[in-house]
Amino acid sequence: MSDSKQYRVMRDSMGEMKVPVDAYYGAQTQRAVENFPISGIRFSRPMLKALGIIKRSAAIANKKLNLLDSARADLIVNVSEEVERGELDAHFVLDIFQTGSGTSTNMNVNEVIANRAKEVDAEVTIHPNDHVNMSQSSNDVIPTAIHLAAAMEIKASLLPALEILSLSLSRKVVEFDAFIKTGRTHLQDATPIRLGQEFGGYKSQVDHARERLERALSSVLELAQGGTAVGTGLNAHPDFPATIIEEISKRTGIKFVEASNHFEAQSARDAIVELSGVLKTIACSLAKISNDIRWLGSGPRCGIGELALPEVQPGSSIMPGKVNPVIAESVLMACAQVIGNDAAITIGGYSGGNFELNVMMPLMAHNVLQSIMLLANSATNFARRCVDGIKANSERLLELAEASIAVVTALAPQIGYDEAASIAKEAYSTKASVREVALKRKVLSAEELDKALDLMSMTHPGL
């Protein structure tokens, strides 16, 4: 079949390339299109938004420093804002599995802005390298974009999502405070707790997740911009880093700062490895919570059945009436992906950093942004479609709490560990209750047993 697509011929330093006639990108991007037909995965919207902000801020900084004339600077600013808003996303066509510095994507942005600018105002000549990329290198633009995109997404989506989940769990802590249930350790019966206490543990996990995220953000707020090729700042005005970072901060409403050491900021991606480790920890927290909840809701007749989870969709194509804990399951899968993303980011951090540059940045950028998105969406969805609608099965909770042999623990201080263990074994073998065996053995009076074996008092023994 013949190729009916129309092309135009464009040149770069390596010669001529045929580029689709309707594409804003140029020869360097087209070379990368042909060089990296790997996955079909492209950079996500947050990364493209960050690149638009960087190019806009660079043009403003170069204009302020009298390096770029007003006509060119203003035109670059206007088109960069189109990139920032997502109006030109169709022209960012490169696979994330590309040159490890992200040079291909940086040039994709530079070419799109230059060619779109020519369409907006043909009287002003904009060169992708000389003007759009002025005072910059892919080697500082891409790490800056990763930090910028991650910080914006954490602020805009993940922290609010964790707040939503924390509030949902808080309501359940109050709602479930009066329900006694058996505790479980090692998947075996343990001493009683209140259902509200159990949910309080989940809430604390989420609150700690928010605190960890805030701490990790402090490293991400350092930007590499201004280091240019290797960290020395070659071809950039001495005041460029401070000027562009001030513009970026103004545009985003987030207080970014210049990297304390540009060589570290470009040769290593330690801040992203640290952030990814926190995201992995959050994934472990959410997986623990969702796993507990789906197990506590198992049944409805032949499982634990202490919780009734919201019924959101039919659960089986063959078993009529079956309903599954699908929201919790979706959280588990998202968390597994985040943990896998962290493994790749870890490898990128230690094996991708060679001398003055890390060469696994596109992969690390994609993974960390996907992890943020997955956790944010999962936390919000889990709160709204599962946690908010959970009901306590009061009868089942009390039945299992009273059946637990572990309540004998409350007798040990008065009758001794060995005697309490003997009572537990007899209760288990005879299927009698602990109270019945203890009464038969006359280890304590009926009144003393009633007080010692009061389930509610076991959940706050200090009162």
Side-chain angles (χ1 to χ4, degrees):
M1 293 178 63
S2 61
D3 187 355
S4 60
K5 187 179 286 187
Q6 298 296 307
Y7 295 93
R8 68 185 188 279
V9 176
M10 301 195 74
R11 294 187 62 86
D12 62 10
S13 60
M14 295 184 70
E16 294 184 345
M17 286 294 295
K18 288 168 60 179
V19 179
V21 71
D22 57 352
Y24 285 131
Y25 57 81
Q28 288 202 49
T29 301
Q30 185 60 37
R31 289 188 194 281
V33 168
E34 296 175 10
N35 282 336
F36 307 112
I38 309 301
S39 69
I41 303 172
R42 300 179 183 181
F43 277 119
S44 61
R45 176 92 281 278
M47 188 71 172
L48 298 179
K49 179 179 180 179
L51 287 164
I53 291 171
I54 291 167
K55 297 301 175 180
R56 176 189 183 275
S57 300
I60 293 171
N62 284 321
K63 178 181 175 181
K64 284 183 175 181
L65 297 169
N66 298 314
L67 301 172
L68 192 62
D69 61 89
S70 293
R72 287 192 173 98
D74 293 347
L75 192 50
I76 292 171
V77 166
N78 290 338
V79 178
S80 296
E81 289 176 359
E82 293 181 2
V83 174
E84 181 185 349
R85 292 192 296 266
E87 295 170 14
L88 304 177
D89 280 4
H91 299 274
F92 299 109
V93 293
L94 298 183
D95 205 286
I96 63 163
F97 297 97
Q98 54 165 278
T99 171
S101 61
T103 298
S104 299
T105 288
N106 186 42
M107 284 308 305
N108 189 174
V109 177
N110 292 335
E111 289 179 339
V112 166
I113 291 172
N115 287 314
R116 169 62 179 149
K118 187 185 299 182
E119 184 179 72
V120 174
D121 189 346
E123 299 297 316
V124 181
T125 304
I126 302 288
H127 191 279
N129 299 80
D130 296 338
H131 303 128
V132 185
N133 201 59
M134 179 182 283
S135 306
Q136 307 151 64
S137 164
S138 303
N139 299 353
D140 61 358
V141 167
I142 298 301
T144 295
I146 298 171
H147 282 219
L148 182 54
M152 289 192 296
E153 289 304 293
I154 288 168
K155 294 274 192 181
S157 62
L158 184 49
L159 284 170
L162 293 173
E163 174 70 12
I164 288 169
L165 181 55
S166 176
L167 289 172
S168 291
L169 291 167
S170 293
R171 290 190 288 270
K172 294 302 170 182
V173 170
V174 175
E175 181 183 340
F176 294 158
D177 187 60
F179 292 100
I180 301 293
K181 58 162 290 175
T182 185
R184 294 181 178 88
T185 59
H186 302 271
L187 301 182
Q188 304 296 305
D189 302 343
T191 55
I193 60 173
R194 300 193 302 279
L195 185 59
Q197 290 174 319
E198 193 164 45
F199 272 74
Y202 303 149
K203 178 187 180 301
S204 182
Q205 282 188 276
V206 175
D207 291 342
H208 279 91
R210 292 160 58 206
E211 293 166 8
R212 292 185 180 102
L213 203 52
E214 292 280 9
R215 289 196 297 269
L217 259 180
S218 63
S219 298
V220 176
L221 296 180
E222 282 198 19
L223 301 184
Q225 203 66 56
T228 64
V230 295
T232 61
L234 181 66
N235 289 355
H237 190 286
D239 294 332
F240 179 77
T243 308
I244 186 174
I245 291 170
E246 181 183 5
E247 286 299 327
I248 289 171
S249 298
K250 218 184 294 184
R251 188 67 174 175
T252 60
I254 300 171
K255 181 59 178 173
F256 291 98
V257 297
E258 183 179 354
S260 56
N261 186 296
H262 281 277
F263 301 100
E264 182 273 341
Q266 290 180 212
S267 66
R269 296 268 55 79
D270 291 354
I272 295 303
V273 174
E274 177 189 10
L275 173 60
S276 182
V278 168
L279 297 175
K280 177 186 70 175
T281 304
I282 295 172
C284 289
S285 296
L286 297 188
K288 197 277 183 191
I289 296 167
S290 58
N291 230 345
D292 275 11
I293 285 175
R294 76 189 186 102
W295 275 106
L296 292 172
S298 62
R301 291 185 177 177
C302 303
I304 294 175
E306 292 179 347
L307 300 179
L309 307 188
E311 298 183 351
V312 297
Q313 66 182 54
S316 174
S317 61
I318 189 173
M319 291 176 278
K322 194 173 193 297
V323 179
N324 298 329
V326 293
I327 303 301
E329 290 166 0
S330 75
V331 175
L332 290 175
M333 287 186 281
C335 291
Q337 183 64 54
V338 171
I339 293 166
N341 284 349
D342 177 69
I345 288 171
T346 302
I347 293 169
Y350 76 75
S351 72
N354 307 117
F355 307 116
E356 277 64 62
L357 185 68
N358 182 287
V359 292
M360 289 199 187
M361 287 193 286
L363 170 67
M364 297 175 80
H366 170 76
N367 280 17
V368 77
L369 292 173
Q370 184 187 65
S371 292
I372 293 168
M373 176 270 292
L374 288 172
L375 291 174
N377 291 347
S378 294
T380 301
N381 199 52
F382 187 46
R384 290 175 175 163
R385 293 182 179 271
C386 184
V387 176
D388 284 348
I390 293 174
K391 302 296 182 187
N393 185 341
S394 57
E395 292 181 2
R396 181 65 170 164
L397 285 162
L398 187 59
E399 173 193 350
L400 293 178
E402 290 180 339
S404 174
I405 293 171
V407 298
V408 76
T409 306
L411 301 181
Q414 299 177 67
I415 67 174
Y417 184 94
D418 290 339
E419 180 66 21
S422 177
I423 290 173
K425 290 177 181 178
E426 182 179 341
Y428 179 72
S429 63
T430 62
K431 295 183 170 51
S433 70
V434 167
R435 190 179 189 284
E436 288 169 341
V437 175
L439 269 177
K440 183 185 74 173
R441 294 191 181 190
K442 299 181 179 179
V443 294
L444 293 172
S445 68
E447 292 76 15
E448 289 172 322
L449 283 174
D450 286 342
K451 183 178 180 181
L453 296 177
D454 178 70
L455 297 180
M456 181 61 80
S457 67
M458 292 185 202
T459 68
H460 43 73
L463 298 181

